[in-house]
Amino acid sequence: MVCVRTSTREQAKAPCLPPRSLLLSPPMPGRTFAIGDIHGDLDALLRLLGTLPPLDAADTLVFVGDYLDRGPRSADVVALLRALPSQTPAKVVLLRGNHEDGWLRVLERGWPEFVIPPQNGCLPTLRSFLGRPQPAEGEGMADDEVEPLLKGTFFPADVVEWMQALPYWYEDEHAIYVHAALPKGPNGFEHPSTTQKRLAMLWCRDDEFVRDYRGKLVLFGHTATKYLPPELSEYTPEDKEDAWVGPCVIGIDTRCGKGGFLTCVELPSGQVYESR
């Protein structure tokens, strides 16, 4: 897989030119655009979507999860994504991320270890849904925010139902798409359709998966690409912030909502689009 980049900076310089590509043939039908973790960054999502070429009914948009937390506009990101199927002819696939899964656990039985640590960015999500100002650096929750945060009761019922319905994985002719990784069983890495370890596809950070998996191409988020081994990436290994491309896996969590940017990889061409 050879990937080439398109960014909003390039479009600003040459708005009439198509995205750069190593392909000499016209775009193929049946394209899939896999988009990484958004984490409440609506501006990055809008910029990224603005870089994509016109879509048609043969195309698919796959979002690999983590729409919530950290960034300032989680509620708006969710609203946009839920409305997207009615606004594009392309098929839209929205996968479950570990942050959506974490909130569902909070709603079911509580999970203070998830919602309290500032690095998880749960307070910004509460304030986004309640229409309150985002917390300043170091600011804690107000007294009237403690119970809603610990129990997740600020989520509208329809958003909870939407999160509950998010699938754990998707597959098409190009690749398998999961949030985190494929789990490993006694006979090697397991296909999502047969594994009993569904949560591993949302939460696992597995260096062995990144280094040793060989099989159908897998695109995943969850682990920021800056923490993946740069010496094994076939795509700009000198830039640890970029998408990570190995022989059979592509990592697309480029820290959107956490000071990074949003990345999309188009298959089968290998075209890379960015919000930066």
Side-chain angles (χ1 to χ4, degrees), residues 23-275:
L23 298 181
L24 300 179
S25 58
M28 295 177 60
R31 300 168 298 180
T32 297
F33 298 83
I35 299 172
D37 307 33
I38 301 168
H39 280 299
D41 192 336
L42 180 69
D43 292 341
L45 175 58
L46 291 172
R47 287 196 302 272
L48 188 281
L49 293 176
T51 70
L52 302 184
L55 305 177
D56 59 37
D59 296 322
T60 302
L61 292 169
V62 178
F63 296 83
V64 300
D66 277 9
Y67 315 114
L68 303 169
D69 300 336
R70 300 193 175 115
R73 301 185 66 180
S74 289
D76 293 322
V77 167
V78 168
L80 187 155
L81 293 176
R82 293 181 67 193
L84 195 56
S86 66
Q87 298 175 353
T88 176
K91 179 179 180 179
V92 177
V93 177
L94 297 163
L95 299 183
R96 181 182 302 204
N98 69 299
H99 279 253
E100 289 76 48
D101 189 66
W103 277 115
L104 290 173
R105 295 195 202 185
V106 171
L107 286 155
E108 180 182 351
R109 58 184 182 271
W111 192 9
E113 295 84 358
F114 176 74
V115 299
I116 292 177
Q119 63 268 25
N120 286 344
C122 294
L123 181 58
T125 296
L126 175 144
R127 294 201 177 175
S128 174
F129 276 91
L130 295 183
R132 295 184 175 185
Q134 287 293 297
E137 185 175 356
E139 181 184 354
M141 66 188 86
D143 290 344
D144 65 345
E145 293 173 333
V146 175
E147 182 173 354
L149 191 71
L150 291 175
K151 296 183 178 180
T153 53
F154 62 89
F155 282 111
D158 59 321
V159 172
V160 176
E161 294 174 1
W162 171 77
M163 288 194 292
Q164 291 170 333
L166 295 173
Y168 287 74
W169 62 283
Y170 177 72
E171 182 176 10
D172 61 17
E173 64 270 26
H174 306 308
I176 299 168
Y177 310 85
V178 296
H179 178 64
L182 296 186
K184 192 171 186 180
N187 298 314
F189 293 99
E190 299 177 327
H191 190 273
S193 64
T194 59
T195 186
Q196 300 299 311
K197 304 173 184 177
R198 292 199 307 169
L199 288 179
M201 292 189 287
L202 306 181
W203 292 90
C204 179
R205 287 191 171 94
D206 184 358
D207 185 69
E208 188 176 359
F209 168 70
V210 173
R211 292 179 178 274
D212 298 337
Y213 168 78
R214 297 296 182 270
K216 186 171 183 177
L217 181 65
V218 177
L219 276 80
F220 68 101
H222 186 54
T223 300
T225 54
K226 68 178 295 183
Y227 300 120
L228 300 176
E231 72 277 8
L232 299 182
S233 179
E234 301 171 7
Y235 179 69
T236 62
E238 71 283 356
D239 185 354
K240 295 176 65 175
E241 299 287 345
D242 254 335
W244 193 96
V245 179
C248 298
V249 295
I250 298 179
I252 54 174
D253 179 358
T254 47
R255 299 196 311 116
C256 186
K258 299 174 283 184
F261 55 95
L262 187 59
T263 291
C264 169
V265 173
E266 175 189 336
L267 298 178
S269 71
Q271 184 77 46
V272 177
Y273 304 85
E274 298 175 344
S275 67

